[in-house]
């Protein structure tokens, strides 16, 4: 522990109240708490405080509030926007000891869970109880469910189950001054006054620290069907989306679109298995469709007959329907190859934006054209959860040790504003996207966000400098 | 126009700015604007202001804010809790002229609509565009979509589609001082800062006035199956709920439970057709199950084979599956007979509460017993949307001109607190349930609600005295 750290009266108080296991200061701050996945330079916070329960979180916040010290909540530290990175004069409030499934209520189909619990633990507990937790993302093994809520995480199955927000019935949160607000509601319907949980979901720890959560659980799917479709152009993708909505109804669980730039890289350099190998038609777009049903015997033949109609009608010129789990995984493999883009494009730039479905292809064309003009030599690929209006862009310029981040951001976010989209679909704002918030939100919206922030955290100690 | 009215400087300003068509004061205030469906005594507001657009709503609020006059937003006036009833020193801000479908985006599956539009108009516009608006309630012909959102309306299909809140992608709202906040987002994913729409949904006009809305539309169902099941007891109801969730998956669209007191009255005095006529077994509960699917040919036989298994396993001792639309309507007729309870029980007392599923039957028994003791001679019936944790209670004492409201409320809401439920599942708080808010929300939750109210409406002009 450094002299600076011991000398801080707040640290002494935290130590006295929470004990040495819960307070790591100075040199004792673990390296993992220096950063999240944002790629920003690491910083060493004044201390890491890691309470074992809600009362400990309340104590920590009460002390920090009294001393006016900034507090940065930390979960699995897998965020991409710098939202969990603590400055050197701030306390990192880690929820790593607030873990565990507290209750599973099979009648209500709910799970009550501590905020620091890894998402994968939540998923497994749901399965063990005969239910399904549809929230899923690549970082499942290390991200914390509390962090998933504070950033309102998305993922592949939003088209059917919604964002993390939609899976939450209740939260317990601690306010800036240490007040515990228990909204651990288990009922789907509860209109007794304002629904306060929405303040804490998606606000990245700037309005309160989520400590416990009541999640909805869903029935396990009895069957899955996965298909890959080739489309002539983006207009055909929209026709296919309409056909999938009406033909598959509530079974539709993923509608993932890949533009040719992404597709060619995935089945080329990244060696994903090409389901259309031998078909050299230059298609305009590729769509992965997943349907989760209840009947393993009849769901596949029903899906196939639906797909045959689309082939006959010419909506889809070529399609492959997986006949086994291995084939399903191979089709998902093309979509998941994005996780390997860093292999050939180390240090690439990645963007998570939202756009109205009708504007997506126009956006992609305009973006490609402007990038070619303003950032010569840049390569880029486009893919995303189009059923939800979410596009990911990954860009890279070979030979640049430092990628041309600012130039690419100017183009990507500049056009987002022009096409009525959003600068963050599912990754949040953190510090990295803060300067672009005005491209997605009006001055009146941002002013109202500040009104809330000032009302709930007048001293500004909760995750300072994040979002706003 | 009364002298009082003309003499008020705010009224003159409203008249000057909005014109005589938009401002009805004194004797010109229509009788319909004196009340909602709460059954409270009517009151005549200072004036009814009915702007034709968002700018007019902003002007009205700016003027009232400057003069410190209370403003009560009014939609279809079908609320049951007094939330839209304006006092005699307040302005009723009617959204009756803010009507119309502004846009239907078939690619995004969204509808943009003015807040005063009747729900039924919204439903019909969705159908005409090849989509489905799942929000539905008895008042559909007269209630306004803006009112549905401000009370976060529920209805029969919440188990599948969620509350009104879940069907909303964006809102435009006007703040207390007349600031227009445009959050007319069409994207399912948008994590650019706080999700402000949730402030306006379910807060009954106390934090802002909703003027325009972006609704999600859903695929039209291609098939429907309706069944009525008899259950031995409530434990069997919970087993059936579990079986329906896993067996019907996302097709399950209603799970409505009727206790024997309700059932016997519905098929007795209220003359609903008894699907179990001839079976004199005294069942412990009755369940209506609806599944909305995509395939009219195979969904019914699949449902029937699922139901046959339940009959064979003894989960359900008797069940009827509708074989035609007429039979579906007849089964729904038993559940919908609640709308006719007033015929034999004029002026009855009605309650809308929420409870964890496991606590419902215990609550119902305890409530019946305590009512019998404390309100002798009272009859009561229990039924509700059990898949969502929502119970309705209707009570009546023959011979009482004035029903024993306070005594019954003491029992009903007192036990709600004891069983961890909520005093309002889907009807809101308004003024009628305000004194019971503390039975469903903690002092810390209510304090945080006040913090929000004070921050967003420091002069307290928005729907004064409602909710808090």
């Amino acid at each position: 522990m450094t002299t600076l750290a011991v000398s801080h009266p707040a640290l002494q108080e935290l130590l006295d109240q929470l004990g040495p296991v819960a307070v790591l200061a100075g040199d004792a701050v673990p390296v993992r708490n220096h950063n999240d996945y944002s790629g920003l330079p690491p910083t060493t916070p004044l201390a890491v405080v890691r309470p074992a329960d809600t009362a400990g979180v309340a104590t920590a916040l009460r002390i920090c509030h009294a001393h006016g010290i900034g507090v940065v909540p930390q979960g699995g530290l897998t965020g991409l926007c710098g939202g969990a990175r603590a400055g050197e004069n701030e306390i990192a409030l880690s929820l790593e000891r607030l873990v565990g499934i507290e209750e599973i209520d099979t009648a209500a189909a709910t799970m009550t869970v501590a905020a620091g619990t890894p998402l994968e633990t939540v998923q497994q507990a749901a399965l063990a109880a005969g239910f399904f937790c549809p929230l899923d993302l690549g970082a499942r093994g290390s991200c914390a469910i509390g962090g998933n809520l504070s950033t309102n995480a998305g993922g592949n199955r939003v088209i059917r189950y919604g964002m993390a927000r939609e899976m939450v019935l209740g939260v317990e949160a601690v306010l800036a001054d240490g007040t515990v607000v228990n909204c651990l509601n288990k009922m789907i319907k509860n209109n007794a006054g304002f629904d306060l949980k929405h303040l804490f979901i998606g606000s990245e720890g700037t309005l309160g620290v989520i400590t416990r959560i009541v999640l909805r659980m869903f029935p396990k799917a009895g069957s899955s069907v996965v298909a890959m479709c080739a489309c002539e152009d983006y207009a055909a993708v929209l026709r296919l989306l309409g056909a999938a909505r009406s033909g598959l109804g509530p079974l539709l669980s993923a509608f993932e679109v890949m533009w040719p730039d992404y597709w060619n890289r995935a089945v080329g350099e990244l060696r994903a298995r090409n389901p259309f190998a031998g078909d050299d038609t230059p298609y305009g777009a590729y769509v992965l469709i997943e349907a989760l049903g209840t009947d393993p015997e009849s769901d596949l033949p029903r899906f196939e007959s639906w797909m045959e109609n689309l082939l006959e009608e010419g909506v889809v010129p070529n399609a492959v329907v997986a006949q086994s789990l291995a084939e399903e995984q191979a089709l998902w493999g093309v979509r998941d190859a994005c996780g390997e883009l860093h292999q050939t494009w180390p240090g690439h730039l990645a963007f998570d934006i939202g756009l109205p479905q009708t504007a997506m292809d126009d956006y992609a064309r305009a973006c490609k054209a402007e990038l070619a003009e303003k950032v010569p030599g840049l390569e880029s690929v486009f893919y995303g959860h189009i059923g939800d209006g979410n596009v990911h862009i990954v860009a890279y310029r070979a030979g640049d040790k430092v990628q041309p981040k600012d130039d690419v951001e100017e183009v990507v976010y500049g056009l987002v504003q022009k096409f009525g989209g959003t600068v963050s679909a599912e990754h949040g704002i953190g510090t990295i996207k803060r300067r672009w918030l005005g491209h997605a939100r009006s001055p009146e919206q941002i002013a109202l966000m500040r009104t809330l922030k000032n009302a709930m955290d007048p001293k500004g100690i909760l995750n300072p400098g994040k979002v706003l």
Side-chain angles (χ1 to χ4, degrees), chain A residues 259 261 360-382 393 407-408 410-412 415 418-419:
Chain A
W259 274 260
D261 48 24
M360 278 186 187
D361 195 50
D362 293 339
Y363 173 90
R365 286 166 195 278
C367 192
K368 280 266 185 195
E370 199 170 322
L371 285 173
E373 185 195 328
K374 297 197 175 157
V375 196
L378 188 86
E379 293 177 277
S380 62
V381 295
F382 288 67
I393 305 167
D407 294 345
V408 179
E410 290 282 351
V411 174
V412 167
L415 286 169
K418 188 176 160 195
F419 283 91

Side-chain angles (χ1 to χ4, degrees), chain A residues 297-319:
Chain A
E297 280 173 36
S298 65
D299 285 334
L300 179 60
R302 277 176 71 175
F303 185 98
E304 287 180 317
S305 101
W306 170 75
M307 186 57 76
E308 272 159 30
N309 280 337
L310 293 177
L311 286 160
E312 278 169 25
E313 289 165 11
V315 177
V316 174
N318 201 351

Side-chain angles (χ1 to χ4, degrees), chain A residues 149-150 171 173 175 196-203 207-208 210 456:
Chain A
L149 292 208
S150 74
V171 300
L175 303 183
L196 299 170
K197 67 174 177 280
H198 293 293
L199 292 168
F200 306 107
I201 302 170
S203 56
L207 299 179
I210 296 172
M456 291 180 63

Side-chain angles (χ1 to χ4, degrees), chain A residues 48-348:
Chain A
V48 173
V49 178
R50 36 181 210 175
D53 54 21
T54 301
V57 174
T59 299
L61 279 166
R62 201 171 54 244
I63 293 169
C64 292
H65 190 254
H67 290 271
I69 298 179
V71 176
V72 179
Q74 293 189 336
L77 293 162
T78 58
L80 297 168
C81 294
R85 192 165 151 270
E88 54 186 18
N89 292 314
E90 295 169 343
I91 297 281
L93 178 62
S94 173
L95 299 176
E96 66 197 73
R97 293 171 69 211
L98 233 77
V99 291
I101 312 295
E102 297 187 3
E103 189 207 49
I104 287 185
D105 181 335
T106 54
T110 61
M111 177 193 296
T112 306
V113 60
T117 310
L119 173 59
E120 198 165 45
T121 307
V122 171
Q123 293 172 332
Q124 287 167 351
L127 284 176
F131 288 90
F132 176 57
C133 164
L135 184 63
D136 192 34
L137 43 150
R140 67 186 70 83
S142 41
C143 65
I145 185 71
N148 297 148
L149 292 208
S150 74
T151 54
N152 188 27
N156 288 336
R157 297 202 173 97
V158 171
I159 194 170
R160 164 128 159 218
Y161 297 97
M163 301 290 277
R165 184 187 300 276
E166 272 80 51
M167 301 171 198
V168 180
L169 291 175
V171 300
E172 174 190 75
V174 184
L175 303 183
D177 66 0
T179 301
V180 178
V181 183
N182 181 334
C183 316
L184 287 174
N185 167 69
K186 278 164 114 180
M187 292 165 284
I188 292 176
K189 290 179 168 178
N190 188 349
N191 277 344
F194 312 161
D195 194 345
L196 299 170
K197 67 174 177 280
H198 293 293
L199 292 168
F200 306 107
I201 302 170
S203 56
E204 303 184 37
T206 61
L207 299 179
V209 178
I210 296 172
T211 44
R212 292 197 291 160
I213 299 152
V214 180
L215 289 171
R216 278 185 87 164
M217 297 190 298
F218 293 80
K220 268 186 205 175
S223 74
S224 67
V225 185
V226 178
M228 189 71 80
C229 305
C231 287
E232 271 180 28
D233 51 25
Y234 188 75
V237 170
L238 290 183
R239 282 196 297 277
L240 180 57
L241 176 59
R245 282 182 182 135
S246 58
L248 304 173
L251 306 190
L252 179 64
S253 57
F255 191 91
E256 304 286 312
V257 175
M258 292 155 274
W259 274 260
D261 48 24
Y262 174 84
W263 179 271
N264 293 334
R265 197 155 191 94
V267 302
E269 288 85 341
L270 302 178
R271 297 172 187 278
R273 197 167 91 194
N274 185 354
F276 301 125
D279 177 354
D280 293 330
T281 317
Y283 293 112
Y286 300 85
V287 183
L288 183 145
I289 295 179
E290 183 191 74
L292 295 176
T294 53
D295 188 335
E297 280 173 36
S298 65
D299 285 334
L300 179 60
R302 277 176 71 175
F303 185 98
E304 287 180 317
S305 101
W306 170 75
M307 186 57 76
E308 272 159 30
N309 280 337
L310 293 177
L311 286 160
E312 278 169 25
E313 289 165 11
V315 177
V316 174
N318 201 351
V320 173
V321 180
Q323 299 296 320
S324 66
L325 188 60
E327 287 185 18
E328 288 189 9
Q329 287 168 342
L331 294 183
W332 268 111
V334 188
R335 173 60 180 79
D336 290 340
C338 58
E340 306 304 320
L341 282 166
H342 64 92
Q343 289 189 5
T344 49
W345 288 355
H348 62 60

Side-chain angles (χ1 to χ4, degrees), chain A residues 387-419:
Chain A
D388 320 318
N390 184 190
V391 185
H392 294 301
I393 305 167
V394 176
Y396 182 76
R397 187 156 66 182
D400 284 11
K401 272 209 169 167
V402 177
Q403 290 292 310
K405 184 167 166 287
D406 290 349
D407 294 345
V408 179
E409 279 191 354
E410 290 282 351
V411 174
V412 167
Y413 296 136
L415 286 169
V416 159
Q417 188 173 31
K418 188 176 160 195
F419 283 91

